[in-house]
Amino acid sequence: VNIIGKDDVETDVAVDCTRLRPNEEYLSHKEMDALTRDTVVFARAKPEDKLEIVKSLQRQGFVTAMTGDGVNDAPALNQADIGVAMGIQGTEVAKGASDMILTDDNFTSIVAAVEKGRAIYAGIQKFVAFIMSVHIAEVIQIAFCIIVGMPVMRTPLQILFLILVTDLPPSIALGMEPGESTILQDKPRPKTEPVVLHFMWVSMVLNGLILSSIIIVVYICALLLECDGAFLQKDIESLANANEHIMSARTVAFISLVWSENVRSYTSRSFNKPVWRNIFGNKDMQKAIVLAQLALYCAVLIPYFSDMILGLDGTIIGWEGWVMALAGPFACVILCEVCKFITAWQMRRYQRHLARQQPEAMKEDPKSGDSIEQKTSFINNSNQNCQA
């Protein structure tokens, strides 16, 4: 952590807290904010000084963190957005007023906690984006079949099986995704930022449309193959064993969909990075895909359970059906990766937008070229250090 840079003039960046209260009365809000905006180190701070500094930083739009270990730090710890108490040397009063306790009293643990928190938040976003795109695709596929007049692609029980058994494990694994190596380089998020951002909506819709289009094409090809060139409901009904033909086509589409969604689980690990980047970095994802694949083959190959309950049968589609189903994941991974170019561009725009929205004090320091948000203000009180 850079407290005072090599080119900084100490008298410009470090001040005695008596300047906050020149006549035993605190400066006005405007004067106080102007002082705290540019000051890096405050010396000989009283408990009430720490509280006023935290309030001043919050008025300027900063998300303020405060560390402390003593009873006198409690008011500022409680006022700060994030109060951090020392777990070893900290008093019980300080711990009770804080939001977080450092069990090892190590300042670098705060950085690790920030990184972990960002990784968890990003995992939630990936989980939501994946599961929403899957549901968008389901709606589009069923609606398309009804509008065109084709046999409905899936029965309600098949949809339920997909959601609970084959889709849920990969989506949970996405929520446990390790943080990306550049996650600490992202700009701080505004307090009012929604979980689902604009670029995520674009990604969800595009991925839903891609998945739907691919599976619909696979389903139509399967109907044409199994139903003697017919794909509309009215034409298929005139065929002998029409229900068996429809079951075969549904099985091909079902297998292709599960394979495609499993492939998309890997592409969804990042909104802007290629799928092959650290592809096996999430061990939970490997377990989830194995579980989803086992569930798929149970659904299409176990007698009675597959044909009598789920209405699927992988034994009657032949090698042509399995090869046709394999086209889905290959097309899906290529098109979804292409869409990442759009998402990556939107993410860069969003990061620039966040940079413009930051308070002036968090933008680039003209002296050092560093971002002020990487610096930490320390309030010194005798031998006890705390930060705001």
Side-chain angles (χ1 to χ4, degrees):
V1 176
N2 298 321
I3 300 176
I4 299 179
K6 62 180 180 180
D7 298 326
D8 290 333
V9 180
E10 291 187 15
T11 54
D12 291 341
V13 296
V15 301
D16 192 302
C17 280
T18 55
R19 287 183 58 185
L20 302 175
R21 36 183 169 79
N23 299 314
E24 297 303 323
E25 292 288 337
Y26 283 105
L27 300 172
S28 65
H29 286 178
K30 183 177 180 180
E31 294 173 317
M32 176 78 76
D33 294 348
L35 184 60
T36 59
R37 183 182 302 116
D38 300 320
T39 302
V40 179
V41 178
F42 289 95
R44 290 187 289 274
K46 295 181 178 180
E48 53 268 29
D49 296 336
K50 302 173 186 179
L51 181 61
E52 291 300 322
I53 293 170
V54 169
K55 289 180 178 179
S56 174
L57 293 172
Q58 289 175 327
R59 282 196 299 270
Q60 299 170 63
F62 291 101
V63 176
T64 308
M66 166 79 187
T67 64
D69 56 6
V71 174
N72 62 351
D73 296 324
L77 286 169
N78 186 62
Q79 175 66 35
D81 297 288
I82 305 171
V84 184
M86 302 297 108
I88 299 175
Q89 297 183 355
T91 62
E92 293 302 318
V93 174
K95 295 177 185 178
S98 300
D99 303 293
M100 184 171 71
I101 298 174
L102 293 180
T103 57
D104 57 358
D105 285 10
N106 190 340
F107 178 77
T108 57
S109 298
I110 298 176
V111 180
V114 171
E115 184 175 13
K116 184 63 175 178
R118 288 191 173 192
I120 292 172
Y121 189 85
I124 294 172
Q125 290 182 312
K126 293 169 186 175
F127 167 86
V128 172
F130 175 77
I131 207 71
M132 283 294 293
S133 63
V134 168
H135 291 169
I136 290 171
E138 286 287 351
V139 171
I140 294 174
Q141 291 168 51
I142 301 302
F144 181 86
C145 292
I146 295 173
I147 293 171
V148 174
M150 296 164 49
V152 177
M153 194 180 298
R154 274 177 289 282
T155 65
L157 194 57
Q158 291 171 7
I159 295 174
L160 188 63
F161 186 88
L162 280 170
I163 293 173
L164 296 180
V165 181
T166 60
D167 293 343
L168 194 58
S171 60
I172 293 176
L174 279 174
M176 303 168 69
E177 183 73 20
E180 297 183 15
S181 58
T182 59
I183 197 166
L184 285 178
Q185 298 175 14
D186 293 342
K187 299 298 180 183
R189 298 186 305 272
K191 290 182 180 180
T192 56
E193 178 187 275
V195 174
V196 181
L197 303 172
H198 176 71
F199 71 83
M200 292 174 60
W201 280 111
V202 174
S203 176
M204 287 187 295
V205 172
L206 287 176
N207 279 270
L209 288 172
I210 289 171
L211 183 60
S212 299
S213 302
I214 291 171
I215 301 305
I216 288 171
V217 170
V218 170
Y219 184 52
I220 292 175
C221 292
L223 286 172
L224 293 173
L225 176 66
E226 299 290 343
C227 301
D228 300 331
F231 69 94
L232 296 178
Q233 180 74 45
K234 60 181 181 179
D235 298 328
I236 296 174
E237 288 176 349
S238 61
L239 299 176
N241 300 321
N243 290 334
E244 183 176 333
H245 294 312
I246 293 174
M247 180 191 292
S248 298
R250 283 176 175 169
T251 302
V252 173
F254 187 90
I255 295 169
S256 186
L257 178 63
V258 174
W259 284 349
S260 298
E261 289 179 354
N262 286 175
V263 166
R264 279 195 59 251
S265 301
Y266 286 97
T267 64
S268 300
R269 292 182 62 221
S270 175
F271 290 107
N272 60 342
K273 300 290 192 306
V275 65
W276 56 84
R277 183 79 60 86
N278 192 25
I279 189 169
F280 298 118
N282 186 351
K283 294 181 180 179
D284 294 309
M285 181 62 74
Q286 324 312 328
K287 299 174 185 176
I289 296 302
V290 170
L291 181 60
Q293 287 298 300
L294 289 175
L296 167 64
Y297 301 125
C298 289
V300 299
L301 295 176
I302 295 180
Y304 187 79
F305 175 68
S306 61
D307 54 352
M308 302 302 295
I309 296 178
L310 290 179
L312 301 168
D313 193 346
T315 63
I316 64 175
I317 61 175
W319 67 268
E320 299 94 340
W322 289 95
V323 171
M324 191 179 298
L326 196 60
F330 278 104
C332 197
V333 70
I334 294 171
L335 294 178
C336 288
E337 286 298 293
V338 171
C339 284
K340 284 186 179 180
F341 288 103
I342 300 175
T343 308
W345 173 72
Q346 291 182 312
M347 290 178 69
R348 289 193 296 268
R349 281 189 59 192
Y350 183 69
Q351 287 298 312
R352 290 195 294 268
H353 170 74
L354 288 181
R356 290 193 298 268
Q357 295 299 314
Q358 288 175 359
E360 289 298 323
M362 294 182 67
K363 295 184 179 178
E364 187 174 290
D365 186 348
K367 297 179 183 178
S368 64
D370 294 331
S371 173
I372 299 294
E373 71 192 21
Q374 297 173 351
K375 296 186 178 181
T376 304
S377 298
F378 279 81
I379 311 167
N380 183 271
N381 180 21
S382 185
N383 294 323
Q384 303 296 327
N385 288 337
C386 59
Q387 96 221 14

